[in-house]
Amino acid sequence: MTELAGTIDVLVVDDDFMVARVHRTFVERVAPFRVVGTAHTGEQAIEAVDALRPDLVLLDLYLPDLFGLDVIPRLRTAGHDCDVMVITAAREADAVRGAVRQGVVDYLLKPFDYEDLQPRLERYATQRGRLLTTVVRGQADVDRVLSGAFAPPAGGALPKGLSVETAQLVERALREADGTVSAAEAATTIGISRVSARRYLEYFHAIGNADVALRYGTTGRPERRYTWRA
């Protein structure tokens, strides 16, 4: 395992070599994460964890030899306490329930892009830091660690750099839109930059007020389209 103040070592597990490469690129864009290896089968994943001792495993469920969730108990039996984040196309409720029972730290559905994975990794890093540094003097300390680990900011507290006034404008643009809205369209409507609009839209998505879907074109990366959740 990495040291407390050092990097967070990650093993990427996916049966598709190209997808694993993309995921690796995504992870390495987020500090302090570092990909130490990739695996493409369940057995390879188990061997890689034994050899590399990662802090976090990004685990696909549809592997050619094992169902991904069957990998986790084998890791525990072998004495590995690495965390597991499921990244999969599996939408079955049984898979989600099974992942929760296995104690995964997150469950991200494919397809996704960097903006979907980044906040989840950052939240994981924050929670991991809390778990490693907390001193339990009483119930309040326990509650502080467990509550809101993967939750959005409470109440009206916006992330640093976001203003209430602009958030209200973005919300209005979403509510009044006839269909889905892209960051570029929201930026034009409100009169702000596309990058700024994207930050507000992603914030609403993170707190559960907006849904996001990917629209695939003939070339380039898919476009993220947002809708206000009624």
Side-chain angles (χ1 to χ4, degrees):
M1 292 288 183
T2 49
E3 295 298 324
L4 176 62
T7 58
I8 299 176
D9 286 346
V10 179
L11 174 69
V12 175
V13 182
D14 197 287
D15 67 318
D16 188 308
F17 284 76
M18 293 301 296
V19 171
R21 184 179 301 174
V22 171
H23 292 175
R24 178 176 193 142
T25 301
F26 285 172
V27 171
E28 291 185 335
R29 290 173 60 185
V30 185
F33 293 88
R34 173 182 65 180
V35 176
V36 294
T38 58
H40 308 292
T41 70
E43 292 295 343
Q44 287 179 8
I46 294 167
E47 293 173 2
V49 170
D50 189 55
L52 301 172
R53 302 299 174 112
D55 302 300
L56 176 66
V57 177
L58 301 191
L59 181 65
D60 187 17
L61 296 188
Y62 293 140
L63 301 173
D65 56 342
L66 295 170
F67 187 56
L69 292 182
D70 294 331
V71 171
I72 301 175
R74 291 184 56 177
L75 294 177
R76 302 305 181 225
T77 299
H80 299 299
D81 61 354
C82 53
D83 293 316
V84 176
M85 181 182 297
V86 169
I87 294 182
T88 181
R91 289 168 165 77
E92 298 84 1
D94 285 345
V96 177
R97 285 193 291 266
V100 172
R101 294 190 186 102
Q102 295 281 11
V104 304
V105 298
D106 213 327
Y107 194 108
L108 178 59
L109 288 174
K110 298 177 181 178
F112 64 90
D113 60 16
Y114 172 73
E115 285 76 11
D116 294 306
L117 181 60
Q118 177 193 13
R120 295 171 187 274
L121 289 176
E122 291 175 344
R123 288 194 296 266
Y124 166 76
T126 298
Q127 173 66 350
R128 182 173 182 271
R130 288 173 179 165
L131 290 172
L132 292 175
T133 60
T134 190
V135 176
V136 178
R137 304 180 186 86
Q139 186 63 48
D141 296 312
V142 176
D143 294 341
R144 189 175 302 110
V145 173
L146 295 181
S147 65
F150 297 98
L158 290 169
K160 185 177 180 180
L162 302 188
S163 72
V164 174
E165 294 78 11
T166 305
Q168 291 172 344
L169 292 174
V170 175
E171 177 181 339
R172 183 183 306 165
L174 277 175
R175 288 181 178 274
E176 296 177 353
D178 183 15
T180 61
V181 176
S182 70
E185 292 166 349
T188 300
T189 300
I190 301 165
I192 60 176
S193 72
R194 185 189 62 81
V195 173
S196 294
R198 178 69 171 264
R199 290 191 63 197
Y200 286 93
L201 291 167
E202 286 297 324
Y203 166 72
F204 285 129
H205 174 52
I207 66 174
N209 285 349
D211 292 320
V212 64
L214 301 181
R215 175 183 292 177
Y216 291 86
T218 56
T219 60
R221 61 188 300 178
E223 181 183 47
R224 293 172 70 82
R225 308 284 306 183
Y226 303 84
T227 53
W228 188 259
R229 182 178 294 174

